Amino acid sequence: MLNSKQRAFLRGLANRIDTILIVGKGEITDNILVQADDALTAREIIKGKVLESSSYSSREAAEQIAEKCSADVVQVIGSKFILYRHNDDKPVIELPKAKNK
């Protein structure tokens, strides 16, 4: 689970990345899930988009893909969403640490 400081950090990183995952008018297929899973393993953070012709809202698509790929939804704005999943083997992104109380 991400805290607000980590989410803000990831949102900043996502500004510079391209949208690589597109959800169209069909269902969220195994191909989309495999593409998302592979990209999350390699990059840890991905940006996706839901087309207007899709039967999913961007929030629904993001949550469904995140659940199936064991990822966190960082942000959903309009038709775009950002997903994050930490890679324990080859970490790419170092998140800010949570403050100890």
Side-chain angles (χ1 to χ4, degrees):
M1 190 78 180
L2 299 171
N3 64 34
S4 61
K5 187 174 185 179
Q6 292 168 333
R7 281 186 198 285
F9 176 77
L10 291 170
R11 284 194 306 266
L13 289 178
N15 283 333
R16 296 184 290 260
I17 64 173
D18 293 326
T19 302
I20 61 166
L21 191 67
I22 308 263
V23 178
K25 65 179 176 180
E27 293 289 316
I28 294 177
T29 62
D30 290 340
N31 287 341
I32 291 173
L33 295 174
V34 167
Q35 181 184 3
D37 189 59
D38 291 346
L40 285 165
T41 300
R43 302 173 182 211
E44 293 186 327
I45 188 169
I46 61 172
K47 189 185 291 185
K49 180 177 182 173
V50 178
L51 300 178
E52 288 182 24
S53 59
S54 177
S55 60
Y56 295 97
S57 72
S58 50
R59 171 70 61 189
E60 291 169 337
E63 288 176 354
Q64 190 170 358
I65 294 168
E67 180 183 328
K68 301 245 168 126
C69 293
S70 302
D72 289 306
V73 178
V74 175
Q75 183 179 40
V76 178
I77 291 184
S79 64
K80 297 198 176 190
F81 58 89
I82 302 164
L83 302 179
Y84 169 79
R85 182 179 71 198
H86 181 72
N87 183 342
D88 291 326
D89 297 331
K90 294 182 181 179
V92 177
I93 299 170
E94 181 155 345
L95 292 176
K97 302 287 184 218
K99 291 183 180 178
N100 293 335
K101 293 183 178 182

